[in-house]
Amino acid sequence: MAVLCGNCAGKLIFNPATQKLECATCGSAFRPEDVEDKNAELHSKYYDTRVYLCSHCGAEVVTSDTESSTFCVYCGNPAIVFDRVSKEYRPDGIVPFQVTKEEAVKYIRLRFLKNPIVPKEVKDKCIPANLRGIYIPYWIVNTDYTEADYIKGEVKQGKHSEIRYYSRAGKVKFKNIPIDGSNILSDDISRKLEPFYLEDAKEFDEDYLNGFYSNRSDLNYYDLRASTAYRCHKMFEDEVVKSVQARNVKIVDSIYHVDIHDDPIYMMMPVWFFTFKFEGKPYTVLVNGQTGKVVGTMPWQKKKIYTIAVSIFVITLALSAFCFWASENRFLGMSQIYFNAVAGLIAMESFFFAKGFFGIKKILKNLKLTQSEAIFKFVKKRQE
Amino acid sequence: MNTMDSYVLVYGMYIGLGVFSALALSLFITYLILNKNNNYGDFAPDIEEYSQGGIYYTREVNNVTSHEKNFLFMEYGENPYEGRQHNYPEQLLKNSSGDQNDSL
Protein backbone atom coordinates (compact mmCIF):
# COMPACT_ATOMS: atom_id res chain seq x y z
CA MET A 1 0.00 0.00 0.00
CA ALA A 2 1.52 3.38 0.96
CA VAL A 3 5.16 3.91 0.17
CA LEU A 4 6.95 5.49 3.10
CA CYS A 5 10.01 7.69 3.23
CA GLY A 6 13.15 5.72 4.12
CA ASN A 7 14.40 8.63 6.26
CA CYS A 8 11.35 9.69 8.30
CA ALA A 9 8.52 7.23 7.40
CA GLY A 10 6.44 10.10 5.95
CA LYS A 11 4.25 9.48 2.91
CA LEU A 12 5.87 9.90 -0.50
CA ILE A 13 4.13 11.75 -3.35
CA PHE A 14 5.20 11.64 -7.02
CA ASN A 15 6.20 15.09 -8.33
CA PRO A 16 5.81 15.39 -12.15
CA ALA A 17 8.24 18.33 -12.26
CA THR A 18 11.16 16.35 -10.85
CA GLN A 19 9.88 12.85 -11.81
CA LYS A 20 10.74 11.80 -8.25
CA LEU A 21 8.89 10.66 -5.15
CA GLU A 22 9.10 13.43 -2.59
CA CYS A 23 8.50 13.34 1.15
CA ALA A 24 6.31 16.22 2.31
CA THR A 25 7.64 15.85 5.87
CA CYS A 26 11.44 15.84 5.48
CA GLY A 27 11.83 16.84 1.82
CA SER A 28 13.78 13.71 0.77
CA ALA A 29 13.44 12.68 -2.89
CA PHE A 30 13.71 9.22 -4.45
CA ARG A 31 13.46 7.82 -7.98
CA PRO A 32 10.40 5.51 -8.18
CA GLU A 33 12.52 2.63 -9.48
CA ASP A 34 14.86 2.97 -6.47
CA VAL A 35 12.09 2.61 -3.90
CA GLU A 36 11.99 -0.99 -2.80
CA ASP A 37 8.68 -2.82 -2.94
CA LYS A 38 8.72 -5.04 0.14
CA ASN A 39 5.84 -7.13 -1.20
CA ALA A 40 7.14 -7.47 -4.74
CA GLU A 41 6.27 -11.15 -5.03
CA LEU A 42 2.75 -10.62 -3.70
CA HIS A 43 2.31 -7.67 -6.04
CA SER A 44 3.54 -9.41 -9.18
CA LYS A 45 0.07 -9.67 -10.70
CA TYR A 46 -2.03 -7.22 -8.71
CA TYR A 47 -1.63 -3.96 -6.85
CA ASP A 48 -3.64 -2.51 -3.96
CA THR A 49 -5.99 0.43 -4.30
CA ARG A 50 -8.72 2.18 -2.32
CA VAL A 51 -12.04 2.40 -4.11
CA TYR A 52 -14.47 5.27 -3.48
CA LEU A 53 -18.04 5.19 -4.74
CA CYS A 54 -19.94 8.28 -5.90
CA SER A 55 -23.52 8.03 -4.71
CA HIS A 56 -24.60 10.61 -7.30
CA CYS A 57 -23.33 9.12 -10.56
CA GLY A 58 -22.23 5.68 -9.43
CA ALA A 59 -18.65 6.14 -10.64
CA GLU A 60 -15.83 4.31 -8.95
CA VAL A 61 -12.86 6.51 -8.09
CA VAL A 62 -9.71 4.54 -7.40
CA THR A 63 -6.87 6.06 -5.41
CA SER A 64 -3.56 4.94 -4.07
CA ASP A 65 -3.24 4.79 -0.32
CA THR A 66 -1.79 8.28 -0.05
CA GLU A 67 -4.71 10.15 -1.58
CA SER A 68 -8.19 10.38 -0.08
CA SER A 69 -11.05 11.43 -2.29
CA THR A 70 -13.33 14.30 -1.28
CA PHE A 71 -15.44 14.68 -4.44
CA CYS A 72 -16.24 12.71 -7.56
CA VAL A 73 -13.81 13.62 -10.31
CA TYR A 74 -16.39 12.72 -12.96
CA CYS A 75 -19.50 14.62 -11.84
CA GLY A 76 -18.07 16.98 -9.21
CA ASN A 77 -20.42 15.77 -6.48
CA PRO A 78 -19.04 15.63 -2.92
CA ALA A 79 -21.30 12.66 -2.05
CA ILE A 80 -18.44 10.19 -2.30
CA VAL A 81 -17.84 7.42 0.21
CA PHE A 82 -15.00 4.99 0.80
CA ASP A 83 -16.15 1.61 -0.48
CA ARG A 84 -13.36 -0.95 -0.20
CA VAL A 85 -9.71 -1.83 -0.55
CA SER A 86 -9.32 -3.59 -3.86
CA LYS A 87 -6.71 -5.61 -5.70
CA GLU A 88 -6.41 -4.48 -9.31
CA TYR A 89 -4.65 -6.08 -12.25
CA ARG A 90 -1.21 -4.67 -12.57
CA PRO A 91 -0.79 -2.67 -15.80
CA ASP A 92 2.17 -3.44 -18.07
CA GLY A 93 3.30 0.15 -18.25
CA ILE A 94 2.65 3.72 -17.27
CA VAL A 95 3.29 7.12 -18.80
CA PRO A 96 4.03 9.22 -15.69
CA PHE A 97 2.60 12.72 -15.26
CA GLN A 98 4.96 15.27 -16.77
CA VAL A 99 2.68 18.29 -16.50
CA THR A 100 2.29 19.57 -12.94
CA LYS A 101 -1.04 20.69 -11.49
CA GLU A 102 0.07 24.33 -11.67
CA GLU A 103 1.08 23.96 -15.32
CA ALA A 104 -2.28 22.32 -16.12
CA VAL A 105 -4.07 25.33 -14.57
CA LYS A 106 -1.84 27.63 -16.63
CA TYR A 107 -2.71 25.78 -19.87
CA ILE A 108 -6.45 26.00 -19.13
CA ARG A 109 -6.14 29.70 -18.31
CA LEU A 110 -4.15 30.37 -21.48
CA ARG A 111 -6.58 28.44 -23.65
CA PHE A 112 -9.89 29.65 -22.27
CA LEU A 113 -9.88 32.10 -19.42
CA LYS A 114 -8.70 35.22 -21.24
CA ASN A 115 -11.95 35.14 -23.17
CA PRO A 116 -14.30 37.78 -21.68
CA ILE A 117 -17.40 35.67 -22.29
CA VAL A 118 -16.23 33.00 -19.79
CA PRO A 119 -18.14 33.64 -16.51
CA LYS A 120 -16.04 35.08 -13.68
CA GLU A 121 -17.37 32.36 -11.39
CA VAL A 122 -15.72 29.73 -13.62
CA LYS A 123 -12.46 31.69 -13.85
CA ASP A 124 -12.33 31.86 -10.04
CA LYS A 125 -12.76 28.09 -9.79
CA CYS A 126 -9.77 27.37 -12.01
CA ILE A 127 -7.20 26.90 -9.24
CA PRO A 128 -4.86 23.97 -8.54
CA ALA A 129 -7.03 22.78 -5.62
CA ASN A 130 -9.86 22.01 -8.06
CA LEU A 131 -7.79 19.82 -10.37
CA ARG A 132 -7.37 16.07 -9.92
CA GLY A 133 -4.79 13.93 -11.65
CA ILE A 134 -6.10 10.58 -12.85
CA TYR A 135 -4.34 7.74 -14.59
CA ILE A 136 -6.73 6.53 -17.29
CA PRO A 137 -6.38 2.90 -18.42
CA TYR A 138 -5.66 2.32 -22.11
CA TRP A 139 -5.10 -0.82 -24.15
CA ILE A 140 -2.38 -0.50 -26.77
CA VAL A 141 -3.33 -2.79 -29.63
CA ASN A 142 -1.82 -4.01 -32.89
CA THR A 143 -4.26 -5.21 -35.52
CA ASP A 144 -4.76 -6.58 -39.01
CA TYR A 145 -7.66 -4.80 -40.64
CA THR A 146 -9.64 -5.21 -43.87
CA GLU A 147 -12.35 -2.93 -45.19
CA ALA A 148 -14.42 -2.59 -48.37
CA ASP A 149 -16.36 0.61 -49.11
CA TYR A 150 -19.01 1.65 -51.60
CA ILE A 151 -18.63 5.40 -52.09
CA LYS A 152 -20.67 8.19 -53.64
CA GLY A 153 -19.32 11.45 -55.06
CA GLU A 154 -20.25 14.35 -57.33
CA VAL A 155 -18.37 14.98 -60.57
CA LYS A 156 -18.78 18.13 -62.63
CA GLN A 157 -19.87 17.56 -66.23
CA GLY A 158 -19.93 20.94 -67.98
CA LYS A 159 -22.51 23.04 -66.15
CA HIS A 160 -24.05 20.09 -64.33
CA SER A 161 -22.98 17.74 -61.58
CA GLU A 162 -23.30 13.99 -61.88
CA ILE A 163 -23.42 11.43 -59.07
CA ARG A 164 -20.89 8.64 -59.45
CA TYR A 165 -20.14 5.55 -57.38
CA TYR A 166 -16.77 4.10 -56.49
CA SER A 167 -15.53 0.95 -54.79
CA ARG A 168 -12.45 0.71 -52.61
CA ALA A 169 -11.07 -2.14 -50.56
CA GLY A 170 -7.82 -2.60 -48.74
CA LYS A 171 -5.81 -3.90 -45.81
CA VAL A 172 -3.95 -2.06 -43.09
CA LYS A 173 -1.60 -3.19 -40.34
CA PHE A 174 -2.25 -0.88 -37.41
CA LYS A 175 0.36 -0.52 -34.72
CA ASN A 176 0.11 0.84 -31.16
CA ILE A 177 -3.42 2.22 -31.34
CA PRO A 178 -4.43 3.47 -27.89
CA ILE A 179 -7.95 2.34 -26.95
CA ASP A 180 -9.50 3.92 -23.86
CA GLY A 181 -10.06 1.05 -21.41
CA SER A 182 -12.56 2.84 -19.21
CA ASN A 183 -16.26 2.82 -19.96
CA ILE A 184 -16.85 5.94 -17.88
CA LEU A 185 -14.88 8.21 -20.20
CA SER A 186 -16.49 8.83 -23.57
CA ASP A 187 -14.36 7.57 -26.49
CA ASP A 188 -15.03 10.87 -28.27
CA ILE A 189 -13.32 12.71 -25.43
CA SER A 190 -10.44 10.30 -24.87
CA ARG A 191 -9.59 10.29 -28.60
CA LYS A 192 -9.18 14.06 -28.51
CA LEU A 193 -6.64 13.76 -25.69
CA GLU A 194 -4.23 11.96 -28.00
CA PRO A 195 -1.45 11.71 -28.87
CA PHE A 196 0.28 10.04 -25.96
CA TYR A 197 3.93 9.30 -26.66
CA LEU A 198 4.89 5.77 -25.65
CA GLU A 199 8.60 6.65 -25.75
CA ASP A 200 8.16 8.10 -22.24
CA ALA A 201 6.43 4.98 -20.90
CA LYS A 202 7.93 3.19 -17.90
CA GLU A 203 7.40 -0.27 -16.55
CA PHE A 204 4.44 -0.07 -14.19
CA ASP A 205 5.34 0.82 -10.63
CA GLU A 206 2.56 1.80 -8.21
CA ASP A 207 4.85 4.46 -6.73
CA TYR A 208 3.97 6.62 -9.75
CA LEU A 209 0.34 6.58 -8.58
CA ASN A 210 1.17 8.28 -5.27
CA GLY A 211 -0.71 11.57 -5.11
CA PHE A 212 -3.01 10.66 -8.02
CA TYR A 213 -6.20 8.80 -8.70
CA SER A 214 -6.50 5.97 -11.13
CA ASN A 215 -9.23 4.16 -12.95
CA ARG A 216 -9.32 0.47 -13.73
CA SER A 217 -10.13 -0.99 -17.11
CA ASP A 218 -13.65 -2.41 -17.14
CA LEU A 219 -13.59 -3.38 -20.84
CA ASN A 220 -13.96 -7.00 -21.80
CA TYR A 221 -12.55 -8.52 -24.98
CA TYR A 222 -15.73 -7.85 -26.97
CA ASP A 223 -15.82 -4.18 -25.92
CA LEU A 224 -12.16 -3.85 -26.88
CA ARG A 225 -12.76 -5.48 -30.27
CA ALA A 226 -15.75 -3.20 -30.93
CA SER A 227 -13.85 -0.03 -29.91
CA THR A 228 -10.80 -1.09 -31.96
CA ALA A 229 -12.88 -1.90 -35.06
CA TYR A 230 -14.69 1.45 -34.81
CA ARG A 231 -11.43 3.32 -34.35
CA CYS A 232 -9.77 1.58 -37.32
CA HIS A 233 -12.88 2.13 -39.43
CA LYS A 234 -12.86 5.90 -38.73
CA MET A 235 -9.19 6.17 -39.73
CA PHE A 236 -9.67 4.02 -42.85
CA GLU A 237 -12.75 6.00 -43.85
CA ASP A 238 -10.97 9.36 -43.49
CA GLU A 239 -8.14 8.11 -45.69
CA VAL A 240 -10.18 6.31 -48.34
CA VAL A 241 -12.32 9.35 -49.21
CA LYS A 242 -9.11 11.16 -50.16
CA SER A 243 -8.54 8.58 -52.92
CA VAL A 244 -11.77 9.57 -54.71
CA GLN A 245 -11.51 12.46 -57.17
CA ALA A 246 -14.96 13.97 -56.65
CA ARG A 247 -16.84 16.51 -54.53
CA ASN A 248 -19.08 15.77 -51.52
CA VAL A 249 -17.62 12.30 -51.17
CA LYS A 250 -19.62 10.06 -48.84
CA ILE A 251 -19.28 6.43 -47.87
CA VAL A 252 -22.61 4.81 -48.64
CA ASP A 253 -21.90 1.38 -47.24
CA SER A 254 -18.93 -0.48 -45.82
CA ILE A 255 -17.92 -3.81 -44.41
CA TYR A 256 -14.88 -4.36 -42.20
CA HIS A 257 -13.05 -7.02 -40.21
CA VAL A 258 -10.47 -6.66 -37.48
CA ASP A 259 -8.05 -9.07 -35.88
CA ILE A 260 -6.40 -7.95 -32.65
CA HIS A 261 -2.94 -9.43 -32.19
CA ASP A 262 -1.86 -11.35 -29.09
CA ASP A 263 -1.55 -9.67 -25.72
CA PRO A 264 -2.58 -6.03 -26.03
CA ILE A 265 -0.55 -3.87 -23.63
CA TYR A 266 -2.33 -2.50 -20.57
CA MET A 267 -1.12 1.07 -19.93
CA MET A 268 -1.93 3.95 -17.61
CA MET A 269 -2.02 7.42 -19.20
CA PRO A 270 -1.96 10.68 -17.21
CA VAL A 271 -4.90 13.13 -17.42
CA TRP A 272 -5.77 16.19 -15.32
CA PHE A 273 -9.51 16.64 -14.66
CA PHE A 274 -10.90 20.11 -13.93
CA THR A 275 -14.47 19.52 -12.75
CA PHE A 276 -16.79 22.35 -11.76
CA LYS A 277 -20.45 23.26 -11.61
CA PHE A 278 -21.98 26.25 -13.37
CA GLU A 279 -25.68 27.09 -13.25
CA GLY A 280 -26.34 23.68 -11.71
CA LYS A 281 -24.67 21.75 -14.52
CA PRO A 282 -21.40 19.83 -14.17
CA TYR A 283 -18.50 20.45 -16.56
CA THR A 284 -15.23 18.56 -17.02
CA VAL A 285 -12.25 20.00 -18.85
CA LEU A 286 -9.33 17.62 -19.40
CA VAL A 287 -5.61 18.23 -19.80
CA ASN A 288 -3.28 15.59 -21.22
CA GLY A 289 -0.82 15.03 -18.35
CA GLN A 290 2.02 14.30 -20.76
CA THR A 291 1.65 16.97 -23.45
CA GLY A 292 -0.54 19.64 -21.78
CA LYS A 293 -3.17 19.49 -24.52
CA VAL A 294 -6.47 20.97 -23.23
CA VAL A 295 -9.75 19.33 -24.25
CA GLY A 296 -13.18 20.72 -23.46
CA THR A 297 -15.69 23.49 -24.02
CA MET A 298 -16.14 26.27 -21.45
CA PRO A 299 -19.58 27.64 -20.62
CA TRP A 300 -20.28 31.26 -21.55
CA GLN A 301 -22.37 34.16 -20.27
CA LYS A 302 -25.56 33.79 -22.29
CA LYS A 303 -26.61 37.40 -21.75
CA LYS A 304 -23.32 38.67 -23.19
CA ILE A 305 -23.56 36.38 -26.24
CA TYR A 306 -27.17 37.40 -27.01
CA THR A 307 -26.22 41.07 -26.68
CA ILE A 308 -23.27 40.62 -29.09
CA ALA A 309 -25.37 38.67 -31.63
CA VAL A 310 -28.28 41.14 -31.59
CA SER A 311 -25.90 44.14 -31.80
CA ILE A 312 -24.15 42.71 -34.87
CA PHE A 313 -27.52 41.95 -36.46
CA VAL A 314 -28.80 45.48 -35.90
CA ILE A 315 -25.56 47.17 -37.02
CA THR A 316 -25.32 45.04 -40.20
CA LEU A 317 -28.97 45.64 -41.01
CA ALA A 318 -28.56 49.39 -40.50
CA LEU A 319 -25.42 49.43 -42.66
CA SER A 320 -27.14 47.45 -45.44
CA ALA A 321 -30.14 49.78 -45.35
CA PHE A 322 -27.86 52.80 -45.50
CA CYS A 323 -25.92 51.34 -48.44
CA PHE A 324 -29.14 50.61 -50.34
CA TRP A 325 -30.40 54.11 -49.66
CA ALA A 326 -27.03 55.69 -50.56
CA SER A 327 -26.85 53.63 -53.75
CA GLU A 328 -30.34 54.67 -54.81
CA ASN A 329 -29.77 58.34 -53.99
CA ARG A 330 -26.19 58.58 -55.27
CA PHE A 331 -25.03 59.76 -51.84
CA LEU A 332 -21.79 61.76 -52.19
CA GLY A 333 -21.80 60.62 -55.82
CA MET A 334 -20.47 57.15 -55.04
CA SER A 335 -23.44 54.91 -55.69
CA GLN A 336 -21.30 52.12 -57.21
CA ILE A 337 -19.22 51.70 -54.05
CA TYR A 338 -22.33 51.28 -51.86
CA PHE A 339 -23.84 48.90 -54.35
CA ASN A 340 -20.65 46.81 -54.46
CA ALA A 341 -20.50 46.68 -50.64
CA VAL A 342 -24.03 45.31 -50.42
CA ALA A 343 -23.49 42.94 -53.33
CA GLY A 344 -20.31 41.62 -51.68
CA LEU A 345 -22.14 41.03 -48.40
CA ILE A 346 -24.95 39.23 -50.17
CA ALA A 347 -22.50 37.08 -52.11
CA MET A 348 -20.83 36.00 -48.86
CA GLU A 349 -24.00 35.51 -46.86
CA SER A 350 -24.53 31.83 -47.76
CA PHE A 351 -20.98 31.02 -46.63
CA PHE A 352 -21.38 33.05 -43.41
CA PHE A 353 -24.74 31.46 -42.68
CA ALA A 354 -23.59 27.87 -43.27
CA LYS A 355 -20.31 28.30 -41.39
CA GLY A 356 -22.00 30.09 -38.48
CA PHE A 357 -24.99 27.76 -38.21
CA PHE A 358 -23.09 24.45 -38.42
CA GLY A 359 -20.20 25.83 -36.34
CA ILE A 360 -22.50 26.81 -33.46
CA LYS A 361 -24.26 23.45 -33.72
CA LYS A 362 -20.89 21.68 -33.35
CA ILE A 363 -19.87 23.83 -30.38
CA LEU A 364 -23.17 23.05 -28.61
CA LYS A 365 -22.55 19.34 -29.22
CA ASN A 366 -19.05 19.66 -27.74
CA LEU A 367 -20.46 21.58 -24.78
CA LYS A 368 -22.71 18.60 -24.08
CA LEU A 369 -19.66 16.33 -24.08
CA THR A 370 -17.98 18.61 -21.55
CA GLN A 371 -21.05 18.63 -19.33
CA SER A 372 -20.19 15.42 -17.59
CA GLU A 373 -23.87 14.65 -17.12
CA ALA A 374 -23.19 12.71 -20.33
CA ILE A 375 -20.67 10.60 -18.44
CA PHE A 376 -23.24 10.26 -15.67
CA LYS A 377 -25.86 8.94 -18.09
CA PHE A 378 -23.32 6.65 -19.67
CA VAL A 379 -22.41 5.14 -16.32
CA LYS A 380 -26.06 4.68 -15.40
CA LYS A 381 -26.63 2.95 -18.71
CA ARG A 382 -23.77 0.57 -18.00
CA GLN A 383 -25.27 -0.19 -14.61
CA GLU A 384 -28.72 -1.07 -15.93
CA MET B 1 -47.59 44.54 -62.90
CA ASN B 2 -47.81 48.27 -62.28
CA THR B 3 -44.98 50.55 -61.07
CA MET B 4 -46.14 50.37 -57.45
CA ASP B 5 -46.07 46.57 -57.46
CA SER B 6 -42.56 46.43 -58.90
CA TYR B 7 -41.37 48.94 -56.24
CA VAL B 8 -42.82 46.73 -53.51
CA LEU B 9 -41.22 43.65 -55.06
CA VAL B 10 -37.78 45.25 -55.42
CA TYR B 11 -37.77 46.81 -51.95
CA GLY B 12 -39.19 43.63 -50.42
CA MET B 13 -36.31 41.71 -51.97
CA TYR B 14 -33.80 44.32 -50.70
CA ILE B 15 -35.21 44.06 -47.19
CA GLY B 16 -35.23 40.25 -47.28
CA LEU B 17 -31.63 40.10 -48.47
CA GLY B 18 -30.59 42.71 -45.92
CA VAL B 19 -32.18 40.78 -43.04
CA PHE B 20 -30.65 37.51 -44.22
CA SER B 21 -27.19 39.11 -44.62
CA ALA B 22 -27.42 40.58 -41.11
CA LEU B 23 -28.53 37.22 -39.68
CA ALA B 24 -25.75 35.35 -41.50
CA LEU B 25 -23.02 37.76 -40.38
CA SER B 26 -24.34 37.80 -36.83
CA LEU B 27 -24.32 33.97 -36.69
CA PHE B 28 -20.83 33.81 -38.17
CA ILE B 29 -19.27 36.30 -35.73
CA THR B 30 -21.05 34.67 -32.77
CA TYR B 31 -19.59 31.33 -33.92
CA LEU B 32 -16.08 32.83 -34.06
CA ILE B 33 -16.47 34.19 -30.51
CA LEU B 34 -17.90 30.95 -29.10
CA ASN B 35 -15.24 28.89 -30.86
CA LYS B 36 -12.65 30.48 -28.59
CA ASN B 37 -14.40 28.62 -25.74
CA ASN B 38 -14.19 25.33 -27.57
CA ASN B 39 -11.16 23.10 -27.80
CA TYR B 40 -12.29 19.76 -29.10
CA GLY B 41 -10.86 20.77 -32.43
CA ASP B 42 -10.91 18.52 -35.44
CA PHE B 43 -7.65 16.83 -34.62
CA ALA B 44 -7.62 13.10 -34.18
CA PRO B 45 -4.54 11.12 -35.15
CA ASP B 46 -4.88 9.73 -38.67
CA ILE B 47 -3.93 6.46 -40.33
CA GLU B 48 -0.31 7.60 -40.86
CA GLU B 49 0.16 7.88 -37.10
CA TYR B 50 -0.80 4.29 -36.31
CA SER B 51 -0.18 2.22 -39.42
CA GLN B 52 2.76 0.62 -41.11
CA GLY B 53 2.66 2.04 -44.64
CA GLY B 54 -0.99 3.15 -44.82
CA ILE B 55 -3.66 1.34 -46.82
CA TYR B 56 -2.67 -1.48 -49.17
CA TYR B 57 -5.46 -1.22 -51.75
CA THR B 58 -6.81 -4.47 -53.16
CA ARG B 59 -9.58 -2.78 -55.12
CA GLU B 60 -9.81 0.75 -56.53
CA VAL B 61 -12.57 1.01 -59.14
CA ASN B 62 -14.21 4.22 -60.32
CA ASN B 63 -17.68 4.56 -61.79
CA VAL B 64 -19.24 1.35 -60.50
CA THR B 65 -22.91 0.35 -60.60
CA SER B 66 -25.13 -0.70 -57.71
CA HIS B 67 -24.97 -4.25 -59.12
CA GLU B 68 -21.20 -4.24 -58.57
CA LYS B 69 -21.78 -3.17 -54.97
CA ASN B 70 -23.30 -6.59 -54.25
CA PHE B 71 -20.26 -8.32 -55.72
CA LEU B 72 -17.97 -6.12 -53.59
CA PHE B 73 -19.71 -7.05 -50.39
CA MET B 74 -19.93 -10.70 -51.35
CA GLU B 75 -16.21 -10.74 -52.03
CA TYR B 76 -15.24 -8.98 -48.80
CA GLY B 77 -18.09 -10.19 -46.61
CA GLU B 78 -16.23 -13.19 -45.27
CA ASN B 79 -13.99 -12.55 -42.27
CA PRO B 80 -10.43 -13.27 -43.46
CA TYR B 81 -9.24 -13.63 -39.88
CA GLU B 82 -11.78 -16.28 -38.92
CA GLY B 83 -10.23 -19.10 -36.93
CA ARG B 84 -7.09 -17.28 -35.82
CA GLN B 85 -6.21 -18.20 -32.24
CA HIS B 86 -4.92 -15.54 -29.86
CA ASN B 87 -3.84 -15.04 -26.29
CA TYR B 88 -5.49 -12.18 -24.48
CA PRO B 89 -4.83 -10.87 -20.96
CA GLU B 90 -6.79 -12.51 -18.18
CA GLN B 91 -8.30 -9.16 -17.24
CA LEU B 92 -10.02 -8.79 -20.62
CA LEU B 93 -11.38 -12.30 -20.41
CA LYS B 94 -12.54 -11.98 -16.80
CA ASN B 95 -14.40 -8.76 -17.56
CA SER B 96 -16.42 -10.69 -20.15
CA SER B 97 -19.90 -11.65 -19.10
CA GLY B 98 -20.77 -15.34 -19.07
CA ASP B 99 -23.33 -15.15 -21.84
CA GLN B 100 -20.81 -14.38 -24.56
CA ASN B 101 -19.48 -17.69 -25.70
CA ASP B 102 -17.86 -16.80 -29.00
CA SER B 103 -14.44 -18.29 -29.43
CA LEU B 104 -11.62 -15.78 -29.35
Side-chain angles (χ1 to χ4, degrees), chain A residues 210-228:
Chain A
N210 289 348
F212 300 98
Y213 299 83
S214 60
N215 203 333
R216 65 185 181 83
S217 170
D218 48 4
L219 289 196
N220 61 40
Y221 168 74
Y222 303 96
D223 295 332
L224 182 70
R225 190 168 65 179
S227 293
T228 307

Side-chain angles (χ1 to χ4, degrees), chain A residues 93-146:
Chain A
I94 187 167
V95 173
F97 272 91
Q98 288 171 21
V99 171
T100 64
K101 198 182 266 193
E102 290 72 20
E103 284 169 335
V105 167
K106 194 179 88 184
Y107 291 137
I108 296 173
R109 285 186 174 278
L110 274 175
R111 183 63 188 80
F112 292 127
L113 303 186
K114 282 182 179 171
N115 196 344
I117 60 165
V118 174
K120 188 177 178 301
E121 186 189 332
V122 174
K123 289 181 183 177
D124 292 344
K125 282 179 183 167
C126 188
I127 52 171
N130 287 338
L131 260 70
R132 289 289 181 273
I134 307 184
Y135 281 104
I136 300 292
Y138 274 80
W139 290 96
I140 309 296
V141 296
N142 295 333
T143 69
D144 284 334
Y145 183 78
T146 302

Side-chain angles (χ1 to χ4, degrees), chain B residues 7-21:
Chain B
Y7 264 122
V8 170
L9 191 71
V10 169
Y11 279 100
M13 202 177 71
Y14 278 178
I15 291 167
L17 283 173
V19 169
F20 186 61
S21 302

Side-chain angles (χ1 to χ4, degrees), chain B residues 14-96:
Chain B
Y14 278 178
I15 291 167
L17 283 173
V19 169
F20 186 61
S21 302
L23 182 72
L25 196 66
S26 157
L27 265 179
F28 181 66
I29 295 176
T30 307
Y31 155 69
L32 291 181
I33 294 167
L34 288 181
N35 203 31
K36 286 200 176 296
N37 265 28
N38 174 46
N39 202 35
Y40 274 99
D42 292 320
F43 173 79
D46 60 13
I47 209 161
E48 300 298 325
E49 185 102 17
Y50 296 123
S51 76
Q52 297 166 322
I55 300 174
Y56 170 70
Y57 284 101
T58 49
R59 188 187 189 100
E60 249 181 307
V61 185
N62 297 335
N63 223 354
V64 296
T65 62
S66 59
H67 182 65
E68 284 168 271
K69 176 189 167 186
N70 299 334
F71 281 118
L72 176 77
F73 289 125
M74 266 171 66
E75 192 181 335
Y76 288 91
E78 205 171 301
N79 185 353
Y81 313 118
E82 191 77 61
R84 282 195 187 177
Q85 297 292 316
H86 288 298
N87 293 321
Y88 293 115
E90 188 183 311
Q91 185 178 6
L92 280 174
L93 305 179
K94 281 208 170 164
N95 280 342
S96 298

Side-chain angles (χ1 to χ4, degrees), chain A residues 367-380:
Chain A
L367 186 71
K368 282 220 156 124
L369 274 178
T370 302
Q371 290 170 344
S372 44
E373 207 63 51
I375 297 175
F376 163 57
K377 280 181 191 155
F378 187 78
V379 175
K380 280 286 176 203

Side-chain angles (χ1 to χ4, degrees), chain A residues 5 20 59 62 73 173 204 211 266 315:
Chain A
C5 172
K20 283 182 177 169
V62 183
V73 289
K173 278 188 183 294
F204 181 77
Y266 184 28
I315 291 168

